[in-house]
Amino acid sequence: MQSLLELRHLKTLLAIRESGNLTRAAERLHLTQSALSHQIRLLEDHYALPLLLRKSSLGKSSPLKLTPAGEKLAQLAAEFLPRIDQAERDIAKLREGEAGQLRIAVECHTCFDWLMPAMDDFRGHWPEVELDIVSGFHADPVQLLFEDRADLAIVSEAADEPGISYQPLFSYEMIALIAKDHPLAYKPFLSAEDFANETLISYPVPDDMLDLIRKVLKPAGINPKRRTTELTAAILQLVASRRGIAALPSWSVQHYLERGYVVAKPIAEQGLTSDLYAAITLAQIDTAFVKDFVTTTREVSRLSLPGVTLL
């Protein structure tokens, strides 16, 4: 029997196994759900076997599972896709050389929590690339690209800027953090008005870099009292002692929440979502190790950060 297996099929099956959900698998692969389902149907017709256990046999809330046949193909994908990725890196090194430098600038205080694991993985792929974080916090890291002081900038918005390509990384939920005995801790979510008579504790950054203010409070005409500190741990300590409330990425405070140190609440009924992008000059965008850094960052973040969604 001639195989119709292609790399895209292996990637699809692995994404389904890891996500347990067709919608999330489609988002990860930048496909529509119908296109992904079409791939599965073609394979099932080819092998004359089901590859997925349908929801009727699992229960509506159960994660999607592969059949033994689907699992066999997913195991093949897990074995060979990393080898293919490595072979393509090796070819890129032959073409462009193994060495270079990648200077990274960040605009967010919490970036280091997820950036360091991605950098560790990247070093394993490109040990000869000099990897560095541009020291200090930068309110406008993209400007450092134009000044040749950085090669890649982590930013929260994709602007329409000549000469810059914004590569999508991931989105995440911003949550409100409240002391366990605070009156607001009993609400299902916080509205803009709930911040009006509170002290907002945040990092010392301009207001237009705080999504809570830019997307929620400012449109509602709310301007709460402010207190700032550089450290995440200090923000949590102030919140826990009822000196104010804060808004931080859910993944950045996960261990504090697991210990019951503070209480987390959604911001607005629909939640508050923030995004991150890698800004790169057009001159650098096709450099193999730069492209691989973006890919590695997305994958490591997806696997290690709770509650993130790839853009």
Side-chain angles (χ1 to χ4, degrees):
M1 178 171 59
Q2 184 176 359
S3 177
L4 58 65
L5 268 181
E6 300 177 9
L7 288 181
R8 62 192 178 103
H9 300 139
L10 295 178
K11 291 178 180 178
T12 291
L13 287 163
L14 192 59
I16 291 173
R17 184 173 76 169
E18 292 180 351
S19 65
N21 181 283
L22 281 179
T23 300
R24 288 196 295 270
E27 290 172 349
R28 174 177 162 184
L29 298 170
H30 301 290
L31 295 173
T32 64
Q33 189 171 329
S34 61
L36 188 145
S37 298
H38 180 65
Q39 285 188 30
I40 297 299
R41 285 195 298 272
L42 284 178
L43 290 173
E44 290 179 329
D45 290 345
H46 178 73
Y47 292 112
L49 281 172
L51 300 182
L52 304 181
L53 292 171
R54 266 47 184 192
K55 287 290 186 180
S56 58
S57 61
L58 291 171
K60 290 185 178 180
S61 61
S62 301
L64 194 60
K65 298 285 187 181
L66 299 177
T67 65
E71 186 62 33
K72 180 68 69 174
L73 293 176
Q75 290 173 1
L76 178 69
E79 178 181 353
F80 280 99
L81 289 177
R83 293 172 62 182
I84 291 169
D85 289 342
Q86 185 58 55
E88 291 184 335
R89 287 190 200 100
D90 291 341
I91 291 170
K93 291 173 184 178
L94 291 172
R95 182 182 68 243
E96 300 179 12
E98 298 187 28
Q101 73 171 354
L102 184 55
R103 299 162 297 171
I104 303 166
V106 299
E107 70 172 14
C108 59
H109 284 70
T110 55
C111 282
F112 298 105
D113 295 340
W114 58 264
L115 190 55
M116 300 308 289
M119 292 174 68
D120 288 343
D121 267 36
F122 177 81
R123 286 190 186 95
H125 301 163
W126 299 86
E128 300 302 318
V129 171
E130 183 181 344
L131 194 59
D132 192 18
I133 294 179
V134 180
S135 61
F137 167 75
H138 304 281
D140 185 10
V142 174
Q143 183 59 33
L144 301 182
L145 303 180
F146 292 118
E147 297 171 0
D148 194 28
R149 294 167 55 199
D151 304 297
L152 181 147
I154 305 297
V155 298
S156 56
E157 284 191 289
D160 184 11
E161 194 146 18
I164 300 294
S165 173
Y166 288 85
Q167 300 295 303
L169 295 177
F170 57 85
S171 65
Y172 57 92
E173 185 181 9
M174 292 288 292
I175 53 175
L177 301 166
I178 313 165
K180 292 184 291 184
D181 59 347
H182 196 290
L184 293 175
Y186 302 98
K187 297 194 64 173
F189 62 89
L190 298 194
S191 64
E193 291 72 20
D194 290 321
F195 290 84
N197 297 316
E198 301 292 334
T199 297
L200 176 62
I201 305 168
S202 69
Y203 301 113
V205 300
D207 284 358
D208 60 3
M209 296 180 64
L210 295 173
D211 283 353
L212 171 65
I213 292 179
R214 184 166 53 87
K215 296 180 178 180
V216 178
L217 300 186
K218 191 173 181 179
I222 304 295
N223 185 23
K225 292 182 290 186
R226 305 289 296 279
R227 181 167 180 173
T228 63
T229 179
E230 293 274 357
L231 301 176
T232 302
I235 291 177
L236 271 294
Q237 189 276 329
L238 290 169
V239 168
S241 58
R242 289 194 60 174
R243 302 294 182 87
I245 60 179
L248 291 173
S250 56
W251 46 263
S252 71
V253 295
Q254 189 66 31
H255 65 288
Y256 293 100
L257 298 178
E258 290 170 354
R259 290 162 49 197
Y261 194 62
V262 294
V263 172
K265 294 293 176 180
I267 298 171
E269 187 172 7
Q270 71 276 14
L272 173 60
T273 300
S274 298
D275 303 326
L276 285 177
Y277 299 85
I280 308 164
T281 64
L282 296 183
Q284 286 269 52
I285 191 61
D286 290 325
T287 305
F289 65 78
V290 174
K291 293 170 67 175
D292 190 54
F293 182 82
V294 173
T295 300
T296 300
T297 297
R298 285 169 54 85
E299 186 64 12
V300 171
S301 300
R302 181 185 67 82
L303 294 173
S304 63
L305 300 179
V308 308
T309 302
L310 295 183
L311 292 172

